Amino acid sequence: MRHFAGILIAAVLVGIAPALAEPEPPIRVGRVSFTEGNLAFYRAGEAEWSAAKVNFPVAEGGWFATDGQSKAELRIGPDTVDLAGNTELNIADLRDKFMQLVLNQGRIGMRLRQRDRDDNSEIDIPRGGIWLLQPGAYDIDSGTPDQPARITVFEGSARFAGGGVDRVINAGETLVLSGTDVLSAAIEPAVSDAFVRWCRARDYQPQRLVAPYHVSPAMTGFEELDAYGDWSTTADYGAVWYPREVPTGWAPYRDGHWVWLEPWGWNWVDAEPWGFAPCHYGRWALIGGRWAWAAAVRCR
């Protein structure tokens, strides 16, 4: 699970152990899980924005943007980040216990599913910083110089600090922030709208999935596996997953494309909605003439 595509795929396809740069690349990575309209991606050092499709890796240093008619969803392990239209989001830091997002403009919805005591989930907006204190459902609108920022907690709790304001927002509350250098703050009741309902409609119920019994929920893309395949147990590999409804002669790493992404190098972007986890973790094995994905390889 701790080997990302630029390391894992080279080892699987070429059969040689690649040299690891020092320090080791970060092990935490997300993916684009849904797009409606256009989602643009930019990375420092690139000349222009490019299109980001489903299963495009979400890594530290990446910028994602939607236009006014678009929405998108990113998933990082079990957590979800939904982007409304006219939103620009920077993945500033993405480590094992630390996630820092910078919402330069627009609005995001967040479903934080897991949080250990030493985890840190931070979202920065132009008016200050927001820390998510508990698992829950959050809605953050960055505002504009002329429009207030709004931080809504539907489940969980959060803390905002900036512009002379330091306040905890509890479930059922919206913190409304106005001003620039020195802010004024007010608490209003949390209210759902069309974007919030869209975010909740895309939620999944982890307790209804089989995959978490075989893989860690921290594995990005695990939630797609139940809908598109079946689990079995083998003597050589332990738990394995077989994709359903693939054509005769199908093999992994054929339907998709490669992208270059620092610090890993070339990464496979699979065209199948389930293709992220099986193409970035574990390994594929040909078992009885059928390709199976072994999430955790073991020897007999």
Side-chain angles (χ1 to χ4, degrees), residues 136-158:
Y138 303 87
D139 183 86
I140 301 167
D141 188 330
S142 69
T144 68
D146 299 325
Q147 296 293 325
R150 304 178 69 89
I151 304 162
T152 300
V153 178
F154 292 103
E155 302 170 26
S157 63

Side-chain angles (χ1 to χ4, degrees), residues 52-232:
K53 304 297 185 181
V54 169
N55 286 330
F56 189 90
V58 174
E60 180 179 311
W63 295 70
F64 292 89
T66 57
D67 60 31
Q69 305 304 313
S70 301
K71 294 193 289 285
E73 179 186 82
L74 314 178
R75 284 189 175 158
I76 303 168
D79 303 327
T80 302
V81 184
D82 293 300
L83 282 68
N86 285 326
T87 294
E88 186 176 303
L89 183 71
N90 171 225
I91 314 300
D93 201 336
L94 194 57
R95 286 174 279 157
D96 190 28
K97 294 289 186 179
F98 191 85
M99 175 171 61
Q100 181 185 16
L101 310 179
V102 179
L103 181 60
N104 296 283
Q105 67 177 49
R107 181 180 178 187
I108 61 171
M110 287 200 65
R111 167 65 78 174
L112 188 68
R113 296 185 177 277
Q114 294 182 348
R115 188 185 184 280
D116 295 332
R117 179 172 296 182
D118 56 347
D119 286 352
N120 191 319
S121 300
E122 176 182 344
I123 301 97
D124 295 328
I125 61 176
R127 287 182 168 98
I130 304 155
W131 289 265
L132 308 185
L133 305 179
Q134 295 177 312
Y138 303 87
D139 183 86
I140 301 167
D141 188 330
S142 69
T144 68
D146 299 325
Q147 296 293 325
R150 304 178 69 89
I151 304 162
T152 300
V153 178
F154 292 103
E155 302 170 26
S157 63
R159 175 191 169 206
F160 172 83
V165 175
D166 190 336
R167 186 149 189 176
V168 170
I169 311 118
N170 296 309
E173 296 180 339
T174 295
L175 179 65
V176 182
L177 300 161
S178 302
T180 52
D181 295 334
V182 178
L183 303 180
S184 61
I187 291 289
E188 297 180 356
V191 177
S192 296
D193 63 5
F195 178 66
V196 172
R197 290 189 290 273
W198 179 81
C199 295
R200 296 291 77 77
R202 292 198 49 78
D203 275 349
Y204 63 90
Q205 301 299 321
Q207 65 271 20
R208 298 182 181 178
L209 301 180
V210 175
Y213 291 97
H214 301 289
V215 300
S216 168
M219 179 183 290
T220 293
F222 82 97
E223 76 283 352
E224 303 283 5
L225 299 176
D226 283 16
Y228 295 98
D230 302 289
W231 292 91
S232 185

Side-chain angles (χ1 to χ4, degrees), residues 235-266:
D236 289 338
Y237 299 102
V240 298
W241 178 85
Y242 292 95
R244 292 191 217 109
E245 300 180 3
V246 292
T248 302
W250 178 89
Y253 308 111
R254 288 188 181 176
D255 189 8
H257 64 280
W258 294 92
V259 297
W260 181 270
L261 187 66
E262 295 289 350
W264 295 282
W266 288 107

